[in-house]
Amino acid sequence: MTKTEKDIPAVELNHVNKWYGQFHVLRDINLNVAKGERIVICGPSGSGKSTLIRCINRLEEHQQGDIVVDGIPLTGNLKNIDDVRREVGMVFQHFNLFPHLTILENLTLAPIWVRKTPKAVAEANAMKYLTRVKIPEQANKYPGQLSGGQQQRVAIARALCMNPKIMLFDEPTSALDPEMIKEVLEVMVDLAEGGMTMLCVTHEMAFARQVADRVIFMDEGQIVEENSPKEFFTNPQSPRTRKFLEQILH
Amino acid sequence: MAYVRDSEAPRLSAPIGSIGAYAWAKDKLFPTPLSALGTLAIAGLFLIIGWNLLDWAGIRAVWSAPDRELCAVDGTGACWPFVFAKFHQWIYGLYPFEQRWRVNIVYVLGIISLAGLLIPSQPAKNWNALFFFVIYPIIAFFLFYGGIFGLPVVETDYWGGLTLTLIIAVTGIVTSVPLGILLALGRQSTMPVVKTLSVVFIEGVRGVPFITVLFMASVMFPLFMPPGVNPDKLLKAIIGGSMFASAYMAEVVRGGLQAIPKGQYEAAQALGLSYWKMMRLIVMPQALKIVIPGIVNSFISLFQDTSLVTIIGLYDLLGIVQAGFNDAKWKSPQTGNTGYLALAVIYFIFCFSMSRYSQYIESRTNRGLKR
């Protein structure tokens, strides 16, 4: 890999603005994420953090500013959107597995239909990732037969099957029962240690401390503070950050 | 006060009389004196109706007779010989007698290939579908109409009876599903022109009774066309029926689409699936499964609505049965009753089969599929 290629940021947002109708939901967002960097985004509900990461794979459209993902600018160009979505994996709060397909089919669907991978190869790859998230024995079950934690691990494996360069997590543990959060976080830690570029909206502060390179605090559609986890938790600069941390760290 | 269980509570079998037929009857049929009374009253009513029907259709019925003579006697029941005598005509309509083998071939081919499609374990599904949806209609048309390989031409005016009913119904059913899906997607489209056209078509067709569509097609349509251009009556009925069924189907499918959570779309998009792949692989399989009852409901409606084509002068099953009532050879007070009962039974067999099959498919697709 040449030096210049490596220098291309994984994600680059310049003066991004977005409105829902008249409501200004993202205000002047500037963010650069280098390859291999792990970012945790937190903030009160309604602060725009989910909207922000959903803009990165175009589930939401921004109206102003530039978003460049792995060198591909996100504009109205449909081909670019397809290209970006192939590079970016996403994990949702509510898993969003396809209930009419088995776990294995959930994992192989996109590789087969989008990447045109032969079925046998896709299945072998899927089993590899299912093993990595520690549930290979569930391959032939349907999502409805799995616990929430297992479903979310399947969802992570499903995203990984597309070989993404960047992974987005939208509150991946918020819909889980407490005893299942750990198993999902373990998979995410494992992924982070493997060098994956990650943007993660979460309130799991222990996770942020352990793996994040940077923590970003958002409020009312703006990035209020951006800092290393250590500084962020021990020495928050903005009063709004301090107030937020007081509320969630009891 | 702390409490710790020191022994397992025993697992006992259910008390006698709380499960089984006796318990069921006591619980469901005779729980209170008033409901017991209701159960008995309804059972009595059914017995009376059942007995009268049996008396008329069986005990007092005429089973064999060369003509109306026996059926016309006062106090006789159903006139079954009329049904036996006319049955061929009910199936083939006025199709020339010596050419009916052509219709039979169409039936046999249709039944075999349809069975192949409907049996889930049948392996060559794709070839079978190709045959049934593409090749079979062509073969069927040329067999019915003739004009090639030395087959004499049989004009559509001679097609009739159950055969005609099935032609209109099956064409309508087969075309209404894809058209309905496209219209439902069109209605949800973000493209204004596509959306408007879909909405106008759906609402326009649904806002008009089927009988009006048929009248307009047969009476008014030629007025707007240049002289001499008058498409076949049957073709107009088929197109009318398909359009009608598609509009209703579109709304049924839309109901299913609305039940699919937004997250399914987002997950599909995030994986890079294109719109059509997302619809085909993720959304439609789930949406259509939800609306199987509605889809079959549409099929059944369409099947029965075909009887309306009588009013534009096509002799479908109902038309041909009614035409038989005027046959002087069989005119009797019971001819009409018997004919309508037999007709009801034929319609029921088809519609009930569709209903049962859909329930079978529903339970099949439900296996292991809990959300």
Side-chain angles (χ1 to χ4, degrees):
Chain A
M1 201 183 280
T2 62
K3 182 111 168 69
T4 46
E5 196 178 323
K6 213 177 174 188
D7 285 344
I8 299 175
V11 181
E12 203 180 342
L13 290 93
N14 287 322
H15 303 293
V16 170
N17 282 287
K18 176 175 174 58
W19 291 260
Y20 287 132
Q22 274 300 320
F23 179 62
H24 200 168
V25 59
L26 291 180
R27 296 194 277 163
D28 192 35
I29 302 290
N30 293 288
L31 176 66
N32 269 9
V33 182
K35 289 201 169 119
E37 209 178 4
R38 275 94 52 175
I39 309 280
V40 163
I41 304 169
C42 59
S45 71
S47 60
K49 50 198 192 305
S50 285
T51 309
L52 171 65
I53 68 163
R54 288 157 60 88
C55 279
I56 293 172
N57 67 349
R58 243 319 151 109
L59 289 183
E60 303 276 357
E61 200 174 324
H62 64 286
Q63 282 104 355
Q64 269 180 14
D66 305 315
I67 299 179
V68 183
V69 181
D70 196 39
I72 308 164
L74 268 178
T75 56
N77 186 330
L78 291 176
K79 170 145 193 329
N80 283 9
I81 296 173
D82 280 349
D83 289 346
V84 165
R85 284 179 179 164
R86 282 163 195 242
E87 304 302 334
V88 179
M90 184 153 193
V91 176
F92 299 87
Q93 181 178 359
H94 296 288
F95 332 135
N96 297 349
L97 296 179
F98 306 130
H100 62 301
L101 301 176
T102 64
I103 299 308
L104 193 62
E105 287 165 343
N106 263 278
L107 266 64
T108 55
L109 182 111
I112 290 173
W113 289 92
V114 179
R115 288 225 193 268
K116 313 283 179 215
T117 314
K119 193 172 175 223
V121 178
E123 282 181 352
N125 204 33
M127 288 314 295
K128 186 183 90 187
Y129 284 113
L130 273 184
T131 310
R132 185 159 170 198
V133 300
K134 303 188 189 77
I135 34 176
E137 72 282 0
Q138 312 285 356
N140 293 314
K141 289 193 184 166
Y142 285 91
Q145 297 167 299
L146 270 57
S147 73
Q150 290 173 326
Q151 289 194 48
Q152 192 61 298
R153 285 187 278 158
V154 170
I156 294 171
R158 178 176 71 177
L160 292 176
C161 279
M162 284 294 278
N163 263 332
K165 294 181 179 160
I166 300 156
M167 285 285 286
L168 307 175
F169 292 83
D170 189 0
E171 305 205 30
T173 55
S174 302
L176 294 175
D177 291 335
E179 71 267 28
M180 294 171 182
I181 292 177
K182 190 163 163 262
E183 64 189 49
V184 171
L185 287 179
E186 276 171 3
V187 169
M188 290 169 64
V189 170
D190 172 56
L191 202 57
E193 285 166 355
M196 176 68 77
T197 310
M198 292 164 70
L199 278 91
C200 188
V201 173
T202 182
H203 292 141
E204 295 298 329
M205 290 306 144
F207 172 79
R209 277 204 192 90
Q210 187 182 348
V211 306
D213 297 308
R214 263 188 295 162
V215 179
I216 286 170
F217 173 68
M218 286 185 71
D219 193 21
E220 296 183 347
Q222 307 170 91
I223 293 179
V224 173
E225 188 164 347
E226 191 183 319
N227 221 326
S228 69
K230 189 158 175 267
E231 283 292 302
F232 183 83
F233 290 112
T234 54
N235 188 17
Q237 301 297 307
S238 153
R240 282 202 255 184
T241 313
R242 280 198 290 274
K243 186 155 169 273
F244 176 74
L245 287 174
E246 272 165 29
Q247 277 162 349
I248 65 162
L249 294 176
H250 319 297
Chain B
M1 283 293 277
Y3 166 80
V4 179
R5 178 175 281 285
D6 50 10
S7 64
E8 284 283 300
R11 292 175 208 275
L12 306 170
S13 56
I16 293 160
S18 68
I19 49 171
Y22 172 77
W24 177 85
K26 187 167 177 295
D27 191 37
K28 309 286 182 195
L29 299 179
F30 308 103
T32 66
L34 192 63
S35 22
L37 206 64
T39 303
L40 291 175
I42 292 167
L45 192 65
F46 272 112
L47 278 177
I48 292 169
I49 293 173
W51 168 251
N52 284 339
L53 187 66
L54 184 71
D55 180 44
W56 178 79
I59 297 171
R60 285 188 292 119
V62 178
W63 289 96
S64 89
D67 54 25
R68 62 182 291 273
E69 210 67 38
L70 278 172
C71 296
V73 177
D74 263 355
T76 43
C79 183
W80 295 116
F82 165 72
V83 176
F84 305 144
K86 294 286 178 188
F87 199 70
H88 275 80
Q89 207 182 56
W90 288 8
I91 291 178
Y92 300 104
L94 302 176
Y95 209 84
F97 191 78
E98 64 282 6
Q99 299 295 332
R100 286 182 181 174
W101 60 271
R102 284 151 59 174
V103 181
N104 290 339
I105 293 181
V106 174
Y107 271 115
V108 169
L109 282 179
I111 290 167
I112 292 173
S113 59
L114 186 64
L117 271 187
L118 296 185
I119 299 169
S121 57
Q122 194 272 122
K125 271 276 170 314
N126 292 346
W127 292 112
N128 201 327
L130 177 75
F131 179 79
F132 186 75
F133 293 113
V134 182
I135 301 169
Y136 176 64
I138 299 171
I139 296 177
F141 174 78
F142 282 110
L143 274 169
F144 281 139
Y145 188 76
I148 52 163
F149 302 126
L151 294 174
V153 169
V154 178
E155 292 293 343
T156 56
D157 292 346
Y158 294 96
W159 306 10
L162 179 66
T163 312
L164 185 81
T165 293
L166 287 173
I167 292 172
I168 301 172
V170 171
T171 321
I173 284 170
V174 167
T175 51
S176 69
V177 174
L179 285 178
I181 289 174
L182 288 179
L183 284 167
L185 293 177
R187 191 170 191 161
Q188 291 203 326
S189 170
T190 48
M191 290 179 272
V193 176
V194 174
K195 189 185 166 102
T196 311
L197 283 177
S198 305
V199 171
V200 166
F201 180 88
I202 293 168
E203 297 301 340
V205 173
R206 285 203 316 157
V208 182
F210 186 42
I211 229 167
T212 318
V213 173
L214 287 174
F215 260 131
M216 285 181 37
S218 73
V219 183
M220 291 172 64
F221 189 62
L223 298 179
F224 305 134
M225 300 301 281
V229 177
N230 189 11
D232 187 80
K233 207 157 54 175
L234 176 60
L235 181 66
K236 286 184 289 190
I238 287 177
I239 293 176
S242 302
M243 277 170 50
F244 208 73
S246 308
Y248 280 87
M249 190 60 69
E251 288 299 280
V252 171
V253 173
R254 190 166 69 99
L257 287 175
Q258 281 175 342
I260 305 302
K262 208 165 147 244
Q264 293 289 306
Y265 292 84
E266 291 178 348
Q269 287 167 355
L271 286 168
L273 267 68
S274 67
Y275 175 82
W276 291 109
K277 280 179 187 159
M278 170 175 80
M279 286 299 166
R280 181 173 137 212
L281 300 167
I282 306 299
V283 178
M284 278 303 159
Q286 297 183 60
L288 293 182
K289 190 190 101 57
I290 296 170
V291 293
I292 289 174
I295 293 175
V296 174
N297 201 22
S298 271
F299 289 175
I300 290 174
S301 290
L302 177 65
F303 189 81
Q304 296 176 349
D305 282 350
T306 54
S307 55
L308 292 171
V309 299
T310 315
I311 63 144
I312 61 167
L314 290 169
Y315 284 94
D316 77 316
L317 183 56
L318 174 67
I320 211 89
V321 170
Q322 283 178 326
F325 297 163
N326 297 324
D327 185 346
K329 192 181 171 194
W330 287 103
K331 219 167 170 60
S332 82
Q334 299 300 344
T335 306
N337 296 342
T338 313
Y340 280 128
L341 181 68
L343 184 70
V345 170
I346 298 174
Y347 273 110
F348 180 80
I349 289 171
F350 279 94
C351 296
F352 189 63
S353 312
M354 285 193 257
S355 165
R356 294 304 304 184
Y357 183 73
S358 86
Q359 284 172 26
Y360 162 69
I361 286 298
E362 263 182 82
S363 64
R364 221 185 106 80
T365 51
N366 270 336
R367 279 191 312 208
L369 223 170
K370 291 158 281 168
R371 221 175 248 276

